[in-house]
Amino acid sequence: GAVVSQHPSRVICKSGTSVKIECRSLDFQATTMFWYRQFPKQSLMLMATSNEGSKATYEQGVEKDKFLINHASLTLSTLTVTSAHPEDSSFYICSARDSQGANYEQYFGPGTRLTVT
Amino acid sequence: AQSVSQHNHHVILSEAASLELGCNYSYGGTVNLFWYVQYPGQHLQLLLKYFSGDPLVKGIKGFEAEFIKSKFSFNLRKPSVQWSDTAEYFCAVNDGGGYNKLIFGAGTRLAVHP
C-alpha cells in the first residue's frame, strides 16, 4: 500500500530557531502534497497545498513567510517553520496524493510533534 | 466555503453495541466524501469514501456510510463495535477540484469498553 513517512517524528526547539520537517512518499510519486496542523483534541486544519516544481498555495490566515514549503521532487516535500515561537507548537501532518491514482485519495504521514520552548 | 460538522465529539459504547456517527457538510455542488480513522498513536487511515453511484458505501473493518444528498449527510455506521474500534473518526469532504483539498470535521472520539 501507499506509504508516507515524516521526519522527524518529534522535535523540540528553542524559540527563535527554525525547524524543517520532511514528508516523503515511499512507494509512489506525488505531484501534490498537503500540510496540515492539528491542535490537541481538534481536527486537522489544512495549511497549504504543495505542488512539485511550483509555489505552494497557502490557506487563508497561514503566513507563507513563516511556514516555508518546498516540493523539490515527486517524493519529497518539506515544511520549514521559521523563527518558531511557543504558539507554533503543534502536531504537523502531511499527506500525499498518488499522481498515478485515478481517485482523490490522500495518504497520510504519521505526523511530527513540534514543541517550541 | 465548505464546512463539515460532526455532531458527536465523544462517544462511549460497550462492545457489540451499534454505532452511528453523524456528519453533515455544507456545499451545494458535487462532493467527494470520506471517513478517516486515527487509532491511538497511529496515522490517519481511510475507512471509506463516496464519489458517486450507490449512496451506501461499504468500507474496511465492517464500517459503512450512507450519503443522503437531501440532508447533506454522510453518517458512519457499524452494527457491532469491538474494543479495537476505539479511535478518533474524522469525516472529510472535497469538491473534486484540481487540488482535491480535504476539509475535515472536528472528529469524534470513540471509546469502546469490553
Side-chain angles (χ1 to χ4, degrees):
Chain A
V3 178
V4 175
S5 69
Q6 280 184 243
H7 178 79
S9 58
R10 189 181 294 266
V11 58
I12 301 172
C13 71
K14 292 189 175 181
S15 189
T17 61
S18 296
V19 174
K20 180 185 283 188
I21 303 170
E22 293 185 348
C23 177
R24 292 181 186 273
S25 57
L26 297 185
D27 49 3
F28 65 99
Q29 293 183 331
T31 53
T32 304
M33 291 184 174
F34 302 88
W35 286 96
Y36 296 86
R37 187 171 176 177
Q38 186 178 28
F39 290 102
K41 298 185 180 181
Q42 294 189 32
S43 186
L44 283 77
M45 299 297 294
L46 180 65
M47 298 175 65
T49 302
S50 168
N51 293 292
E52 186 266 338
S54 64
K55 290 183 179 179
T57 303
Y58 290 82
E59 294 300 301
Q60 193 171 11
V62 177
E63 298 177 60
K64 60 182 178 182
D65 294 331
K66 179 165 187 65
F67 297 100
L68 300 179
I69 291 171
N70 184 283
H71 193 156
S73 78
L74 288 172
T75 59
L76 173 64
S77 175
T78 61
L79 168 69
T80 301
V81 183
T82 63
S83 186
H85 288 100
E87 57 265 31
D88 298 325
S89 298
S90 190
F91 196 53
Y92 292 88
I93 302 173
C94 74
S95 70
R97 180 186 163 203
D98 188 343
S99 302
Q100 305 300 317
N103 60 41
Y104 301 100
E105 184 170 352
Q106 294 179 25
Y107 301 96
F108 286 82
T112 296
R113 186 163 300 284
L114 170 64
T115 303
V116 185
T117 61
Chain B
Q2 297 176 48
S3 67
V4 179
S5 63
Q6 292 182 239
H7 318 299
N8 319 98
H9 296 296
H10 201 169
V11 173
I12 301 173
L13 294 173
S14 298
E15 276 194 316
S18 64
L19 170 72
E20 180 159 2
L21 302 182
C23 172
N24 285 89
Y25 65 92
S26 66
Y27 183 70
T30 302
V31 292
N32 302 314
L33 296 155
F34 306 79
W35 274 98
Y36 285 88
V37 61
Q38 188 173 31
Y39 297 103
Q42 297 188 28
H43 59 277
L44 279 167
Q45 300 174 41
L46 182 67
L47 267 182
L48 47 78
K49 59 194 175 191
Y50 172 80
F51 294 153
S52 64
D54 189 343
L56 185 61
V57 180
K58 293 195 183 299
I60 61 172
K61 305 187 181 189
F63 285 90
E64 65 178 30
E66 185 175 12
F67 169 54
I68 303 180
K69 189 175 181 179
S70 61
K71 295 184 177 180
F72 297 90
S73 70
F74 190 55
N75 292 355
L76 181 71
R77 299 194 292 249
K78 185 170 184 178
S80 175
V81 294
Q82 301 172 317
W83 175 79
S84 57
D85 293 323
T86 294
E88 187 143 20
Y89 293 81
F90 295 94
C91 181
V93 63
N94 73 22
D95 60 5
Y99 293 139
N100 308 127
K101 297 191 300 184
L102 285 174
I103 306 299
F104 282 87
T108 297
R109 192 172 296 270
L110 171 66
V112 180
H113 295 307

